[in-house]
Amino acid sequence: VKQAKTGQRRVLAFGQGLTRLPDLTLDAEMVEGLAKRQFELYFQPKFDLHDGHVSGLEALVRWNHPKYGQIPPGEFIPRAEHTGFIQSLGLWILLKSCETVAQMQAQGLKPPQIAVNLSFIQLRDREFYKKLSSMISRLDIDPHCIQLELTETSVMENLETAQAVLTDIHNQGVSIALDDFGTGFSSLTHIHSFPISTIKIDRSFIRQMLEKENSRHLVRSLINLAHDLSLSVVAEGVESTQQLDLLKQMHCDHVQGFLTGIPMPFKAMVQMLGRQPKY
Ligand code: C2E
Ligand code: CA
Ligand code: CA
Ligand code: CA
């Protein structure tokens, strides 16, 4: 808890610094940061509630800034999307994720599926799936080891391109998850036409689930709806055993959250997998 508090203070301090930092400076520093290897991927485990084992990892980018310390993605991804730098950064994130799978294979470890967040800007690139498939074939990894996470809104706002790009991706064996699900209701009627395998229920609903009856009903309905459509369900932001127990009762498939595992660097992640934690 103490560590979390310190982390939060540092984030706030940076946030205040960031508002004073001219956008152009931030832009230049991001470009330089990528060249100087200041970005790093952290990995957060997801657990399968049917057998208790780790079922996958989500890759979450961090920026180890020489002056401001570690900067969380919420502080720079929006700006990177605004300028288009997310195209380069996003490709680096994807490559690093594929390399992580290859590295684990080379070390004789069974690589878990790594879920990579994709920005709506990357989704607009019609060549995206070619870039993805060339990485996968060059590194000789199993495409099933990669999942792409797209937010519900980013798909909704790019319906036509999304349909084409996602179909190409899916045909390569890479699965797709709809992130932050439940925050943009319009898509409920559209998801059946997309090649999606998983929905991730937004953490705001999980947070309110114990106190608010309507949040609890919503979570239960989302799980049932997903199962009716043969989709699997991940609950995000699980922080308490009460939430975990309730999600088990509701037949949720996977959980991800601070209760079961925080985002961690590569080395710590490999150690965690070696301990074979169960939930
Ligand atoms: P997201 O995709 O919804 O990622 C989950 C966020 O929730 C992560 O924050 C994670 O650390 C946090 N989280 C996980 N479990 C818990 C919990 O139990 N409680 C609470 N309060 N939070 C939890 P993070 O790493 O700061 O990322 C924030 C957002 O930044 C992500 O939200 C995603 O939208 C974006 N992001 C992160 N990495 C990438 C990336 O590589 N590419 C792109 N395009 N976006 C990224
Ligand atoms: Ca995500
Ligand atoms: Ca999410
Ligand atoms: Ca989110």
Side-chain angles (χ1 to χ4, degrees):
V1 176
K2 205 175 171 194
Q3 206 179 357
K5 275 191 184 151
T6 330
Q8 210 171 5
R9 240 194 332 265
R10 199 170 48 199
V11 171
L12 282 176
F14 180 77
Q16 283 152 10
L18 187 64
T19 51
R20 287 197 302 268
L21 203 67
D23 280 345
L24 292 179
T25 311
L26 176 64
D27 297 346
E29 292 202 358
M30 275 196 280
V31 175
E32 193 188 328
L34 186 58
K36 290 189 171 167
R37 301 167 189 265
Q38 290 166 7
F39 290 93
E40 182 181 4
L41 291 189
Y42 271 43
F43 301 93
Q44 186 179 28
K46 286 181 280 184
F47 287 84
D48 186 326
L49 289 181
H50 306 289
D51 66 11
H53 292 294
V54 173
S55 51
L57 306 166
E58 178 173 5
L60 295 159
V61 70
R62 304 286 179 257
W63 182 5
N64 299 315
H65 193 284
K67 189 162 146 205
Y68 298 108
Q70 193 171 80
I71 307 173
E75 305 269 336
F76 59 86
I77 295 276
R79 182 66 196 169
E81 288 177 329
H82 183 78
T83 60
F85 179 64
I86 192 70
Q87 297 278 15
S88 316
L89 183 60
L91 282 178
W92 178 85
I93 290 165
L94 195 62
L95 179 62
K96 201 73 195 161
S97 302
C98 292
E99 282 176 356
T100 302
V101 171
Q103 190 179 349
M104 291 180 76
Q105 260 169 14
Q107 291 178 11
L109 303 164
K110 185 176 173 284
Q113 186 182 63
I114 298 185
V116 184
N117 290 285
L118 207 66
S119 160
F120 68 100
I121 303 286
Q122 294 174 277
L123 196 60
R124 288 183 191 157
D125 175 7
R126 287 195 175 266
E127 304 283 287
F128 176 80
Y129 83 95
K130 288 186 194 159
K131 296 171 186 165
L132 173 66
S133 71
S134 82
M135 279 183 207
I136 288 175
S137 58
R138 192 158 45 82
L139 291 165
D140 195 24
I141 59 169
D142 179 355
H144 296 104
C145 289
I146 299 293
Q147 180 167 74
L148 297 177
E149 292 192 6
L150 284 145
T151 64
E152 197 185 357
T153 11
S154 75
V155 172
M156 291 312 297
E157 282 166 8
N158 302 274
L159 269 183
E160 268 175 43
T161 334
Q163 179 89 52
V165 174
L166 298 188
T167 303
D168 287 334
I169 291 169
H170 173 80
N171 289 342
Q172 290 175 51
V174 172
S175 62
I176 295 150
L178 270 193
D179 206 354
D180 301 351
F181 199 79
T183 53
F185 292 95
S186 48
S187 66
L188 285 179
T189 50
H190 289 274
I191 49 170
H192 67 272
S193 64
F194 281 88
I196 279 154
S197 70
T198 304
I199 65 163
K200 298 188 75 175
I201 301 181
D202 193 64
R203 102 167 161 256
S204 56
F205 303 111
I206 308 300
R207 197 194 311 126
Q208 298 168 351
M209 197 172 59
L210 298 173
E211 300 90 59
K212 292 195 182 167
E213 202 183 351
N214 53 356
S215 293
R216 198 155 56 242
H217 283 318
L218 185 67
V219 172
R220 188 179 284 116
S221 324
L222 287 179
I223 294 171
N224 292 337
L225 171 82
H227 288 165
D228 285 345
L229 296 167
S230 303
L231 303 172
S232 79
V233 184
V234 181
E236 302 188 314
V238 178
E239 295 182 352
S240 72
T241 45
Q242 290 95 316
Q243 289 167 337
L244 180 77
D245 291 343
L246 192 54
L247 288 161
K248 278 182 182 169
Q249 276 175 34
M250 292 176 172
H251 305 289
C252 182
D253 305 291
H254 308 265
V255 287
Q256 178 182 356
F258 293 165
L259 174 74
T260 50
I262 58 167
M264 58 194 100
F266 176 77
K267 258 188 163 173
M269 178 269 282
V270 171
Q271 279 167 10
M272 178 225 29
L273 291 177
R275 288 195 300 272
Q276 302 206 357
K278 267 188 91 175
Y279 276 92

